[in-house]
Amino acid sequence: MVGSAAIPAGPDDVLHVLGADPLDGIRDVLTGTVGAQEPGTIESLRRDIAEAKRLVQACGYARLARQLPALLARFECPGSARPEQRAMDLLAVHGYHVAATLLLKYDDAASAWIAAEKAATAARRTEAPAAIASAYRILTHAVAGVGHRRQAVRVAVTGVDHLSGRVSRSAPDNVAVFGALLLRGAWAAALDEDRDAAAELLDEAERTSALLQEATNRQWTAFGANNVALHRMSIALALGDAGHALQAAKTVVPAQLAVAERQATYWSDVARALHICGRTEAAARALLAAEKAAPEEVRSRSVTRALIRELLQRDRAGRAPWLRALANRAQVPV
């Protein structure tokens, strides 16, 4: 004993005191510190991947964090000689894409990069252009997330090149993946403050959206003209143009965005733009709309929690009383 504190006998003694991070199970799989599991049948993997995709788009993050480690471990089992390996690799692209997305939601871009690279590695093995482009979309996000924004744009453009000759009305899945990758590249260019590249990629995405019926969720992309309009708003905000973002917001029909996560993103970005423009009460109302669309997206994201805190500090007169209730639900100190 040193004073009243016990000397730990091993790392578990200390780690237990620190408490478990709900994403540690995913990180353990990505780093190979837990054993692989037998993959099971392709049909069962396909069902579980579809469920994981539904959860991430519905912002069911807590449940997804519990389910993903066991699912990802099924892709870590060696078996390159299996006849169904290509089918498994195509599903692995989606599985690691979901993992990277969830990690990015919780600001762990470093781990997300590992997951995204695993998606890209699986995609390259398939030699399927659409799978490669899909993997490069999440890789673009992860690379930008760690601060390498110029390289992120290059990743996006490389993925676009893989698929550009295969985009037509008769191949709607390719259109969706291609368009979504263009949007992710435009976002990365905006973060890099390259307005010209962001505008060029956005315009190409808008032209691409004309090839696809709206309100679809092909290849889990939620791509369409309405989503392009959403990205115009988000990219204007990323470039520091809050006024332009609010103008662009008027062109979006949030109820027609294909998934809950996109709807919550719309209202959260509107709230950020309104906050920048000094419209505290309107920003708070926009956050309530975001919470209605996807509660976990608002209550668990650090960027949204920070916005709630800033709005509380500005609302000294208490003109937005519902803001304190939202802060309590998001466990933001008031």
Side-chain angles (χ1 to χ4, degrees):
M1 298 284 288
V2 178
S4 59
I7 298 175
D12 285 346
D13 291 348
V14 178
L15 294 176
H16 178 72
V17 172
L18 291 176
D21 185 317
L23 300 181
D24 276 348
I26 297 172
R27 298 185 186 103
D28 286 342
V29 176
L30 294 177
T31 54
T33 54
V34 297
Q37 297 184 16
E38 284 298 320
T41 66
I42 294 297
E43 290 74 17
S44 67
L45 271 175
R46 187 173 290 114
R47 286 194 301 270
D48 291 345
I49 286 293
E51 173 65 9
K53 283 286 190 178
R54 281 191 290 269
L55 281 174
V56 76
Q57 291 192 332
C59 305
Y61 301 145
R63 181 177 171 188
L64 183 61
R66 294 191 296 270
Q67 293 183 1
L68 262 183
L71 176 57
L72 295 177
R74 294 162 70 184
F75 294 113
E76 296 289 324
C77 188
S80 59
R82 286 194 294 263
E84 69 272 20
Q85 187 61 41
R86 187 174 186 276
M88 286 188 59
D89 283 336
L90 289 169
L91 292 171
V93 173
H94 290 299
Y96 290 119
H97 195 299
V98 169
T101 299
L102 184 62
L103 290 159
L104 286 164
K105 292 289 186 184
Y106 286 91
D107 303 319
D108 186 357
S111 297
W113 192 341
I114 298 173
E117 183 54 44
K118 283 180 174 287
T121 299
R124 295 185 197 108
R125 284 197 298 264
T126 71
E127 299 183 348
I132 293 171
S134 180
Y136 278 29
R137 178 163 66 104
I138 191 59
L139 186 58
T140 297
H141 197 166
V143 172
V146 297
H148 300 307
R149 293 157 180 175
R150 188 173 305 172
Q151 286 75 22
V153 177
R154 292 183 63 184
V155 171
V157 171
T158 301
V160 164
D161 288 343
H162 273 286
L163 197 53
S164 59
R166 296 172 171 83
V167 177
S168 67
R169 291 184 186 276
S170 61
D173 285 352
N174 287 357
V175 172
V177 173
F178 185 78
L181 181 55
L182 287 167
L183 292 176
R184 183 53 64 194
W187 168 81
L191 292 183
D192 196 40
E193 299 182 356
D194 189 339
R195 292 174 177 268
D196 291 340
E200 182 179 349
L201 290 165
L202 264 175
D203 289 344
E204 182 61 26
E206 185 169 339
R207 288 189 289 271
T208 300
S209 70
L211 301 174
L212 194 64
Q213 182 180 353
E214 184 54 271
T216 65
N217 191 23
R218 286 187 175 275
Q219 292 298 299
W220 307 97
T221 63
F223 181 71
N226 206 27
N227 200 20
V228 174
L230 169 62
H231 277 77
R232 284 197 182 279
M233 178 188 70
S234 298
I235 286 170
L237 193 56
L239 289 168
D241 299 333
H244 289 160
L246 291 176
Q247 286 296 319
K250 297 176 182 178
T251 69
V252 183
V253 184
Q256 293 179 10
L257 290 165
V259 297
E261 189 271 343
R262 295 286 81 199
Q263 295 174 19
T265 294
Y266 170 82
W267 288 112
S268 296
D269 282 354
V270 167
R272 289 171 57 207
L274 289 167
H275 172 53
I276 292 170
C277 294
R279 297 170 60 184
T280 301
E281 184 176 348
R285 289 185 181 277
L287 278 180
L288 288 180
E291 184 190 37
K292 181 179 179 181
E296 282 193 66
E297 176 69 12
V298 172
R299 299 173 190 173
S300 62
R301 297 291 307 282
S302 62
V303 64
T304 312
R305 288 160 53 84
L307 176 57
I308 294 171
R309 187 178 300 109
E310 291 172 13
L311 289 171
L312 277 170
Q313 292 171 352
R314 180 177 287 182
D315 185 36
R316 299 295 186 186
R319 294 178 179 174
W322 56 87
L323 190 55
R324 286 186 174 272
L326 174 60
N328 288 332
R329 293 192 294 273
Q331 297 183 331
V332 174
V334 296

